Amino acid sequence: MFALFWIILCKTRKSRTCLVQTPPAIPTLAVVWACCLMRGTKFIIDWHNYGYTIMALTLGKNHFLVKISEWYEWFFGNKAGTSLCVTDAMKKDLQIKWGIKSVLLYDRPPDMFKPIPVKRQHELFMKLKNEYSCFDLTEASDAERVASTIFTDKDMVTSAVSFRKDRPFLIVSSTSWTEDEDFSVLLSALESEFSFM
C-alpha cells in the first residue's frame, strides 16, 4: 500500500486527472483518492465490477470482510469526480445502490477491428494445427489433411479457401473467467439455439 502511495505521489508527474479501474478496489481506491486530493488531481473511477461481490463468492455475502469491502467501495466510490462504467446494468446499479451517477461508455472494439477473412483464418488454423492436434482432421486422407484443418479446407487446384460444412463451433470470449461472470448463460443460450436446429 505504501509502495503504491509512494510511486503515485512521488515518482509520477502531476496530471489533471487520474483514472483507476476497479476491481481491484482495496487498497487502490483509497491510495489513488488520497494522492489526487494532495495533488489537486481529478479522481475518476472506471467501474467494471464490484470487488466485494467477487470476494463474496469465496467468503459468503454476509462475511464481515465483504461488508467492510462494500462500505469501502461505497465510501471511495462517492469521492470520485467522475465515474465511468461499461454496461447499462452497472450504471443503474451504481445509481440505485450508492447514488453514484456514472457515464456509460460501452466496451466495444474500435472500427478497425473487423471479421478476419477466411483465408487468414485458414492460415492461423494451419499454424495451430502444427502445435495442437485438435485443429487437425483426424479421419481424413493424407492429401486432405495437408491442406485442411478441422475448420477450413483449401482447394489444392484453385487455392480457394472455404469453411468446412462439418466444422465445430469455436467460441472466443474476452471474459476474465471470474466466478461472478456466469459463462453458463452463454452455454445455456447455445443449448437453446441447438434445440431449434
Side-chain angles (χ1 to χ4, degrees), residues 4 10 21 63 68 78 81 83 103 109 113 122 138 140 144 197:
L4 179 61
C10 302
Q21 180 180 318
H63 194 280
I68 290 169
N78 276 286
S83 285
V103 176
F113 290 101
H122 178 72
T138 52
E144 188 181 17
M197 293 182 175

Side-chain angles (χ1 to χ4, degrees), residues 1 4-5 25-36 43 72 76:
M1 182 168 139
L4 179 61
F5 186 80
I26 299 173
T28 312
L29 295 181
V31 171
V32 173
W33 172 75
C35 291
C36 287
F43 178 44
Y72 175 94
F76 288 105

Side-chain angles (χ1 to χ4, degrees), residues 26 50-57 59-76 97-98:
I26 299 173
Y50 297 114
Y52 80 91
T53 60
I54 296 171
M55 187 184 291
L57 293 170
L59 298 177
K61 66 179 182 179
N62 294 319
H63 194 280
F64 79 99
L65 288 176
V66 173
K67 297 294 182 187
I68 290 169
S69 179
E70 182 178 9
W71 175 87
Y72 175 94
E73 287 182 75
W74 163 81
F75 182 80
F76 288 105
K97 187 182 290 184
W98 292 339

Side-chain angles (χ1 to χ4, degrees), residues 79-123:
K79 300 287 184 196
T82 301
S83 285
L84 310 173
C85 59
V86 296
T87 65
D88 191 48
M90 188 71 178
K91 177 184 171 101
K92 288 175 183 170
D93 199 59
L94 283 166
Q95 175 66 47
I96 293 166
K97 187 182 290 184
W98 292 339
I100 296 174
K101 292 182 180 176
S102 58
V103 176
L104 179 59
L105 299 171
Y106 287 110
D107 204 2
R108 292 187 182 136
D111 290 338
M112 64 187 248
F113 290 101
K114 301 197 180 322
I116 301 169
V118 67
K119 185 178 178 190
R120 296 268 321 272
Q121 289 183 48
H122 178 72
E123 291 166 4

Side-chain angles (χ1 to χ4, degrees), residues 2 14 22 32 35 61 67 69 73 92 113 121 125-126 129-130 147 185-186 188 191 193-194:
F2 295 108
K14 183 182 177 197
T22 186
V32 173
C35 291
K61 66 179 182 179
K67 297 294 182 187
S69 179
E73 287 182 75
K92 288 175 183 170
F113 290 101
Q121 289 183 48
F125 292 140
M126 289 297 287
K129 178 174 98 166
N130 292 330
V185 173
L186 172 62
S188 296
E191 286 175 358
E193 188 66 28
F194 284 127

